[in-house]
Amino acid sequence: MKKNILVTGAAGFIGSAISKRLIATGYSVVSIDNLSTGEQGNIPEGVEFYQGDCQNHKIYETIPKKKYDAIFHIAGQSSGEISFDDPSYDLRTNAESTLHLLKFAHKMNCTRFIYAGTMSVYGKKPDEPVKENVQLKPQSFYGVGKVASEHYMRLFEPYGIKSTSLRLFNVYGPGQNMGNLRQGMVSIFMAQMLENHHIHIKGSKDRYRDFVYIDDVVDAFMACLDSKSSYGQAINIGSGKKTTVGELIKKMTDLYPKQVTVEYSGSTSGDIHGIYADISYATQVLNFNPKTELEHGLNQMLDWALNERN
Ligand SMILES: NC(=O)c1ccc[n+]([C@@H]2O[C@H](COP(=O)([O-])OP(=O)(O)OC[C@H]3O[C@@H](n4cnc5c(N)ncnc54)[C@H](O)[C@@H]3O)[C@@H](O)[C@H]2O)c1
C-alpha cells in the first residue's frame, strides 16, 4: 500500500518541489494550502489538495482521516521583512499553524513531523559557519515564530511525535515566486534583472548568505524521512558556502546576455549582515551532500524564468 504524507504548502516553491518528488517516489500526498503566496497551478499532479489555513482548526475536520506516515509542515509566511507588517498574523500563520498540525498528528497517531525551519532563528552571528547549537537570537517576528514552532515540536515529543526541523538557508531555483519582490533574495534580484535590466539592492554588497539549490533541499527532506538519528533535532540545510551579495549579483548578471545596472541603497527591517551554514551535522545525520554549484543553479533558474515561467 502507498504511504500517505500530509504536505502543507504544496502550492508554494518548496512544498510543490517536495510534493512532486514524493509522488514520483511512490507516496500519496494530501496538501493544505491557503494560496496566500502559492498558486494552484504549482500543485503537482496527483496531490489531493484542500484549500484552507493551517492556523484554522476547521481545516483538520475537512481533510481525509487517513493513516499519515509523516507530516511535512512547509506552509508559512516566509519573509522576515513581511513579518514586520503584521506580527500577529505572522505568529498565527507560522507558530499557531505548527501547534494545530502537531495536535492533528497526535490525534491521527502520526509519529513523524518534519518542519521547514529557517536560518532566521540565529540572528547576528560572527563571520564563521554557524552551528545548530549556538544561542538563538532571531531579529525578526518571522524568526521568533519559527523558534516557537521548534519548541512546540519538542513539547510533543513525550506524546511519541518525532520531529525534525530543517533550518533552511537561502533556498533558490526554478519554481520560486518571482512576483513577490519582498521574499527570496535570488528571486527578487532575478525578477528585477529580467523586468527592468536594473537591480535595486536594499543593503550593502558585502552582506553574505548561503544559497542552497531547491533540488538539494528536497534531497534533505527525503533523507529525513528515513533517518532515525534526525529525530528531535534541528539541522542546518545550506550549501555550507559563504557568498556575498556582490558575488551573487556578478554571477547572475554574467549569465544574462543584456546590460544590467545595479544600485545599492536603503535597508530592510530585520536584515542581518551575514550568515552561512555549518552543514557537518546534516552530512553526518542525513548523509547530506549539496551537489549544485551556484553558477549552475542560477543558470537553471534563469532558463526556467526565461522559458518556462509564462
Ligand atoms: N525560500 C527560502 O529560502 C526559505 C528559507 C528558510 C525557510 N523557508 C521556509 O520554507 C517554507 C516554504 O517557503 P517557500 O519559499 O516555499 O514559500 P512560498 O511562499 O513559495 O510557499 C509557502 C506556501 O504556503 C502557503 N501558506 C502560507 N501560509 C499558510 C497557512 N497559514 N496555511 C496554509 N497555507 C499557507 C502559501 O500559499 C504558499 O503556497 C516556509 O515555511 C518558509 O518559512 C524558506
Side-chain angles (χ1 to χ4, degrees):
M1 218 172 77
K2 275 192 178 181
K3 288 190 170 182
N4 297 310
I5 313 277
L6 175 61
V7 180
T8 67
F13 170 41
I14 300 173
S16 64
I18 292 173
S19 301
K20 198 171 170 187
R21 179 82 69 84
L22 283 167
I23 286 179
T25 317
Y27 290 92
S28 152
V29 176
V30 172
S31 185
I32 305 169
D33 196 301
N34 64 6
L35 302 181
S36 55
T37 53
E39 286 175 26
Q40 191 139 8
N42 288 343
I43 301 171
E45 219 180 300
V47 171
E48 197 178 335
F49 172 58
Y50 293 82
Q51 186 173 345
D53 290 316
C54 294
Q55 73 271 29
N56 182 346
H57 61 90
K58 291 202 174 116
I59 189 70
Y60 304 100
E61 292 158 19
T62 314
I63 63 172
K65 304 286 175 296
K66 299 184 184 189
K67 159 94 190 87
Y68 291 101
D69 295 278
I71 295 175
F72 282 86
H73 181 28
I74 313 298
Q77 189 300 100
S78 69
S79 154
E81 181 183 352
I82 292 173
S83 75
F84 284 82
D85 295 352
D86 186 349
S88 302
Y89 172 76
D90 195 80
L91 185 71
R92 288 194 298 278
T93 197
N94 284 338
E96 194 178 343
S97 290
T98 308
L99 177 58
H100 280 302
L101 275 152
L102 286 161
K103 281 160 59 182
F104 180 71
H106 181 41
K107 187 174 162 199
M108 300 301 293
N109 289 320
C110 169
T111 57
R112 189 72 178 113
F113 193 91
I114 301 172
Y115 184 55
T118 172
M119 50 110 180
S120 301
V121 296
Y122 292 118
K124 287 183 186 138
K125 290 288 170 259
D127 183 358
E128 57 192 38
V130 69
K131 281 187 184 293
E132 290 85 350
N133 60 3
V134 299
Q135 193 182 8
L136 306 181
K137 283 196 173 175
Q139 303 287 312
S140 64
F141 294 97
Y142 167 66
V144 170
K146 289 282 183 175
V147 174
S149 289
E150 292 188 352
H151 285 301
Y152 283 136
M153 284 154 56
R154 197 173 41 76
L155 289 182
F156 277 77
E157 266 172 35
Y159 301 99
I161 298 174
K162 297 160 181 82
S163 299
T164 306
S165 176
L166 296 184
R167 291 182 181 157
L168 310 179
F169 281 63
N170 282 64
V171 188
Y172 73 99
Q176 195 161 14
N177 185 344
M178 306 266 291
N180 184 344
L181 293 184
R182 296 173 77 201
Q183 178 184 327
M185 206 179 246
V186 174
S187 55
I188 293 171
F189 297 160
M190 195 175 280
Q192 293 187 52
M193 180 172 84
L194 300 187
E195 201 67 35
N196 312 320
H197 305 153
H198 177 78
I199 307 177
H200 173 209
I201 295 150
K202 294 188 272 178
S204 108
K205 69 176 186 337
D206 300 324
R207 287 175 302 143
Y208 52 89
R209 293 290 185 274
D210 181 327
F211 298 101
V212 59
Y213 191 62
I214 182 68
D215 291 359
D216 290 320
V217 171
V218 175
D219 285 348
F221 275 92
M222 296 303 288
C224 212
L225 260 182
D226 299 322
S227 162
K228 288 197 171 54
S229 42
S230 71
Y231 291 177
Q233 305 299 315
I235 305 174
N236 286 340
I237 300 298
S239 67
K241 292 181 184 146
K242 168 180 171 179
T243 303
T244 65
V245 169
E247 287 164 348
L248 172 74
I249 294 296
K250 166 108 179 58
K251 286 185 200 299
M252 202 184 281
T253 51
D254 281 354
L255 288 169
Y256 192 56
K258 296 185 180 153
Q259 189 69 35
V260 180
T261 50
V262 181
E263 171 195 347
Y264 291 89
S265 67
S267 62
T268 304
S269 308
D271 200 25
I272 51 164
H273 182 72
I275 192 158
Y276 62 112
D278 180 322
I279 55 170
S280 52
Y281 192 52
T283 308
Q284 182 194 324
V285 171
L286 302 176
N287 202 16
F288 180 63
N289 170 28
K291 298 179 194 74
T292 314
E293 291 298 332
L294 186 55
E295 288 82 356
H296 180 68
L298 289 174
N299 210 1
Q300 297 286 106
M301 184 168 173
L302 191 58
D303 267 2
W304 164 79
L306 289 170
N307 303 315
E308 292 171 45
R309 191 163 57 106
N310 299 317

